[in-house]
Amino acid sequence: MMKEHDYGKETSNVSLTGLRSLSTEEPAGGHVNTAFTADHGTEFANSKAKEVEAGERVEQRPLCSKPYAGMSKEELLQFSQKPFWVGLRWAGFITFWLGFFAIVAAVIALIVLEEKCPEESLDWWQTEVIYQVYPRSFQDSDGDGVGDLKGVSSRLDYLQELGIGTIWMNPIYKSPMKDFGYDVSDYVDIDPIFGTMEEFEHLLGIMHEKGLKLVMDFVPNHSSDQHPWFVESRKSRDNEYSDYYVWVDKRDCNTMSCDTSCSGNQPQGCPPNNWLSVPRGSAWKWDQTRQQYYLHTYLAEQPDLNFNNPKVVKEMQDILLFWLDKGVDGFRLDAVSHIHEDTDYYNKDEPPSNKPNITADDYKYLKHIYTLDLPDTIERLREFRQVMNEYGTTAEKHIFSVNEVYITEYTDVETITKHYDVADMPFNFDLIGGLGPECHTGACIYGLVNTSLGMVPEGRWSNWVLGNHDEGRIASKMGGTYESAMNALLLLLPGTPTTYYGEEIGMLDHGSITFNETRDPRGLILGPDRYQEHSRDPARTPMQWDSSEPSAGFSTNPETWLPMHPDYKTINVQLQVMIDNSTLNTYKALVALRAKRSFQEGDLVLATPTDNLFAFSRNFKHGEPSYLCVMNVGYEAELYASSEDVTANNEGEVVVKYGTRFKIGDKIKIDEQIQLDPGELVVVEFYFY
Ligand code: GLC
Ligand code: MG
């Protein structure tokens, strides 16, 4: 410190001298720059002084005759206090700090204002692929020809390899199996055909260990007619369970008009109204003992529960809690649109739909204005959701729910919105309903996708389904060649995908099941001539694991509950695992790709469709790549013409493909090289910037 202080003193002395000498000496002429003048003026003065002191002739050095060698410390210090230098120093000082703070402020402003890469905020049901296991048909472990829980447990590794995260299992509760589990006789027990409660717990345990979630099927609308509640209920009009179901007196044909098709003279008189059941025929069945009709929206063996009875509401809520306590992760709520009906039974005949070519006993014959999606139904669903929410809050996990809602031409947007309010989502069946032989153009698929997304209320989450246990398989509807393209729609469009078992290998409907082999009541009810019109058996045949006899690895039993599809030797898991370009390997690649944020959270841009091509891009930005997905859904090869909206950049790399024209890793020019054959699919990774 002292040293610095002394040095400061010295500096000021020298500076003073310097100042004095400057004021006495003539500046070197002709210099405009003061700084320059001062420097060289001093040098000249000093050399003159030396000449005089030494008394000898010293050669006068010309100014700047040699490269500037710098000034001594003393010289520098001498001038550092001159107002000009002081001012310059201050100016520099201020400019530096102003600049520094300006840069800091600019950086802060950029950080604050720049669009942020959103934090990952999606829940598991949004990020994972749901896989529907139809347990009768997935894997038989005990050789009885029917799939079971142990069978499912033994195939978890396969499901994990597929990359799926959630399994939805159709009902496994105790049931007389009139509707294969959708007729429940005990909601809190496992049917022996599927196994035991211990086996269920074991399955759930290992699923959770593997990070897989389980969604159960919840069937609130109806029970089995063998359920103890119904057995009691039908015994009398005044027992504990009398009001558990929808019991209504016959229509009095003396005071009310009666349909000519029923005879008012029979003891059962006429049913209360014209309502139809989904499988066919009247929704009312006369009960001899109670001398009343009961309502069955489905089979007569599936009586509708009475949700106007608070005890029933409570029972069903307790059932949810029972399975939640077991640790299940969510529910698929079955047939929920039917929970309540208008109770003014005698005055609520439903009007005809006037659809062509429909017989009077067909459910579609009527407009279901008094029996579908009533406000009370939505209220019950809200209460179910509430039970799940409360449980989830305590258990610190999200309980997932998806409603089975078929949107008909009579369903208004408001009703759809309500279903989004009372569940995480209602199943979106637009692809199930819209895809088929008549939808083989880019324009058709564009229309389906666009309309479907337009129905999703603001801020809610979309989802996609290609098939299920009630509908024909997608590979049969579109042709097996198109399975991978359809899987790409399912997996790469925004929203949660649900895969029906077997779609990953392109399983087909079994079109030649005989009437004798038919098991589905909806087929049986129509008789041997017409059973194929409504039988759901073709899409429920057992999973095709390998080419082995007798039953494709599904069972050791040659007699399976439904016959194996005869093509299992060519369409099966074992074969497809080994083929690079198989439907199965493409499926896995699509599932893996879907895990990227661009697919989970990115924008969707639909390209202008053509006769053959449907294309879209997914873009998340924030440094993530974008993806262009192009598929040929038509019947002719076509070249993709890129559009600015969809792909700003002209080059990309193939990351998934189905077909033979491309290899993974191919670098391609997007608007010159994407030529696709029918059924071919390519996903190209590119950057927008
Ligand atoms: C749902 C099921 C269907 C069942 C019906 C009655 O629609 O998906 O399989 O037959 O409900 O429970
Ligand atoms: Mg079995």
Side-chain angles (χ1 to χ4, degrees), residues 673-684:
Q673 288 178 293
I674 304 187
Q675 168 94 17
L676 296 178
D677 289 324
E680 202 159 15
L681 159 81
V682 70
V683 185
V684 183

PDB file of all heavy atoms in Angstrom, residues 673-684:
ATOM      1  N   GLN A 673     -37.151 -37.198 -53.630  1.00  0.00           N
ATOM      2  CA  GLN A 673     -36.844 -38.620 -53.524  1.00  0.00           C
ATOM      3  C   GLN A 673     -37.865 -39.464 -52.783  1.00  0.00           C
ATOM      4  O   GLN A 673     -37.666 -40.646 -52.616  1.00  0.00           O
ATOM      5  CB  GLN A 673     -35.482 -38.775 -52.836  1.00  0.00           C
ATOM      6  CG  GLN A 673     -34.343 -38.371 -53.731  1.00  0.00           C
ATOM      7  CD  GLN A 673     -33.019 -38.503 -52.991  1.00  0.00           C
ATOM      8  OE1 GLN A 673     -32.766 -37.782 -52.046  1.00  0.00           O
ATOM      9  NE2 GLN A 673     -32.210 -39.448 -53.405  1.00  0.00           N
ATOM     10  N   ILE A 674     -38.944 -38.851 -52.301  1.00  0.00           N
ATOM     11  CA  ILE A 674     -39.897 -39.703 -51.578  1.00  0.00           C
ATOM     12  C   ILE A 674     -40.954 -40.236 -52.541  1.00  0.00           C
ATOM     13  O   ILE A 674     -42.021 -39.680 -52.716  1.00  0.00           O
ATOM     14  CB  ILE A 674     -40.527 -38.960 -50.377  1.00  0.00           C
ATOM     15  CG1 ILE A 674     -39.419 -38.456 -49.458  1.00  0.00           C
ATOM     16  CG2 ILE A 674     -41.459 -39.908 -49.627  1.00  0.00           C
ATOM     17  CD1 ILE A 674     -39.896 -37.862 -48.173  1.00  0.00           C
ATOM     18  N   GLN A 675     -40.608 -41.314 -53.150  1.00  0.00           N
ATOM     19  CA  GLN A 675     -41.509 -42.018 -54.059  1.00  0.00           C
ATOM     20  C   GLN A 675     -41.966 -43.253 -53.292  1.00  0.00           C
ATOM     21  O   GLN A 675     -41.143 -44.039 -52.823  1.00  0.00           O
ATOM     22  CB  GLN A 675     -40.725 -42.409 -55.307  1.00  0.00           C
ATOM     23  CG  GLN A 675     -41.414 -43.383 -56.220  1.00  0.00           C
ATOM     24  CD  GLN A 675     -42.187 -42.662 -57.324  1.00  0.00           C
ATOM     25  OE1 GLN A 675     -41.955 -41.489 -57.572  1.00  0.00           O
ATOM     26  NE2 GLN A 675     -43.099 -43.357 -57.963  1.00  0.00           N
ATOM     27  N   LEU A 676     -43.274 -43.395 -53.125  1.00  0.00           N
ATOM     28  CA  LEU A 676     -43.756 -44.498 -52.279  1.00  0.00           C
ATOM     29  C   LEU A 676     -44.731 -45.407 -53.029  1.00  0.00           C
ATOM     30  O   LEU A 676     -45.610 -44.933 -53.740  1.00  0.00           O
ATOM     31  CB  LEU A 676     -44.463 -43.943 -51.039  1.00  0.00           C
ATOM     32  CG  LEU A 676     -43.638 -43.133 -50.044  1.00  0.00           C
ATOM     33  CD1 LEU A 676     -44.523 -42.630 -48.924  1.00  0.00           C
ATOM     34  CD2 LEU A 676     -42.491 -43.954 -49.484  1.00  0.00           C
ATOM     35  N   ASP A 677     -44.585 -46.698 -52.784  1.00  0.00           N
ATOM     36  CA  ASP A 677     -45.521 -47.680 -53.325  1.00  0.00           C
ATOM     37  C   ASP A 677     -46.716 -47.802 -52.383  1.00  0.00           C
ATOM     38  O   ASP A 677     -46.625 -47.412 -51.216  1.00  0.00           O
ATOM     39  CB  ASP A 677     -44.833 -49.047 -53.428  1.00  0.00           C
ATOM     40  CG  ASP A 677     -43.792 -49.048 -54.536  1.00  0.00           C
ATOM     41  OD1 ASP A 677     -44.043 -48.401 -55.568  1.00  0.00           O
ATOM     42  OD2 ASP A 677     -42.734 -49.676 -54.346  1.00  0.00           O
ATOM     43  N   PRO A 678     -47.817 -48.368 -52.861  1.00  0.00           N
ATOM     44  CA  PRO A 678     -48.974 -48.551 -51.976  1.00  0.00           C
ATOM     45  C   PRO A 678     -48.596 -49.268 -50.676  1.00  0.00           C
ATOM     46  O   PRO A 678     -47.886 -50.275 -50.708  1.00  0.00           O
ATOM     47  CB  PRO A 678     -49.918 -49.407 -52.826  1.00  0.00           C
ATOM     48  CG  PRO A 678     -49.588 -49.033 -54.224  1.00  0.00           C
ATOM     49  CD  PRO A 678     -48.113 -48.788 -54.237  1.00  0.00           C
ATOM     50  N   GLY A 679     -49.028 -48.707 -49.574  1.00  0.00           N
ATOM     51  CA  GLY A 679     -48.752 -49.313 -48.265  1.00  0.00           C
ATOM     52  C   GLY A 679     -47.407 -48.902 -47.689  1.00  0.00           C
ATOM     53  O   GLY A 679     -47.111 -49.170 -46.529  1.00  0.00           O
ATOM     54  N   GLU A 680     -46.580 -48.256 -48.509  1.00  0.00           N
ATOM     55  CA  GLU A 680     -45.241 -47.899 -48.040  1.00  0.00           C
ATOM     56  C   GLU A 680     -45.296 -46.672 -47.121  1.00  0.00           C
ATOM     57  O   GLU A 680     -46.157 -45.800 -47.275  1.00  0.00           O
ATOM     58  CB  GLU A 680     -44.335 -47.617 -49.244  1.00  0.00           C
ATOM     59  CG  GLU A 680     -42.872 -47.754 -48.909  1.00  0.00           C
ATOM     60  CD  GLU A 680     -41.991 -47.977 -50.142  1.00  0.00           C
ATOM     61  OE1 GLU A 680     -42.460 -47.741 -51.277  1.00  0.00           O
ATOM     62  OE2 GLU A 680     -40.837 -48.376 -49.944  1.00  0.00           O
ATOM     63  N   LEU A 681     -44.355 -46.658 -46.195  1.00  0.00           N
ATOM     64  CA  LEU A 681     -44.330 -45.607 -45.173  1.00  0.00           C
ATOM     65  C   LEU A 681     -42.899 -45.140 -44.974  1.00  0.00           C
ATOM     66  O   LEU A 681     -41.984 -45.961 -44.984  1.00  0.00           O
ATOM     67  CB  LEU A 681     -44.858 -46.210 -43.862  1.00  0.00           C
ATOM     68  CG  LEU A 681     -44.496 -45.510 -42.560  1.00  0.00           C
ATOM     69  CD1 LEU A 681     -45.425 -44.332 -42.334  1.00  0.00           C
ATOM     70  CD2 LEU A 681     -44.601 -46.475 -41.383  1.00  0.00           C
ATOM     71  N   VAL A 682     -42.709 -43.837 -44.819  1.00  0.00           N
ATOM     72  CA  VAL A 682     -41.371 -43.367 -44.468  1.00  0.00           C
ATOM     73  C   VAL A 682     -41.491 -42.208 -43.479  1.00  0.00           C
ATOM     74  O   VAL A 682     -42.390 -41.365 -43.595  1.00  0.00           O
ATOM     75  CB  VAL A 682     -40.558 -42.987 -45.733  1.00  0.00           C
ATOM     76  CG1 VAL A 682     -41.078 -41.730 -46.389  1.00  0.00           C
ATOM     77  CG2 VAL A 682     -39.085 -42.840 -45.420  1.00  0.00           C
ATOM     78  N   VAL A 683     -40.627 -42.225 -42.479  1.00  0.00           N
ATOM     79  CA  VAL A 683     -40.570 -41.101 -41.546  1.00  0.00           C
ATOM     80  C   VAL A 683     -39.166 -40.507 -41.651  1.00  0.00           C
ATOM     81  O   VAL A 683     -38.171 -41.219 -41.496  1.00  0.00           O
ATOM     82  CB  VAL A 683     -40.858 -41.527 -40.092  1.00  0.00           C
ATOM     83  CG1 VAL A 683     -40.916 -40.302 -39.182  1.00  0.00           C
ATOM     84  CG2 VAL A 683     -42.142 -42.327 -40.002  1.00  0.00           C
ATOM     85  N   VAL A 684     -39.107 -39.213 -41.957  1.00  0.00           N
ATOM     86  CA  VAL A 684     -37.832 -38.541 -42.197  1.00  0.00           C
ATOM     87  C   VAL A 684     -37.603 -37.503 -41.101  1.00  0.00           C
ATOM     88  O   VAL A 684     -38.488 -36.701 -40.803  1.00  0.00           O
ATOM     89  CB  VAL A 684     -37.872 -37.825 -43.571  1.00  0.00           C
ATOM     90  CG1 VAL A 684     -36.525 -37.181 -43.867  1.00  0.00           C
ATOM     91  CG2 VAL A 684     -38.243 -38.799 -44.670  1.00  0.00           C
TER      92      VAL A 684
END
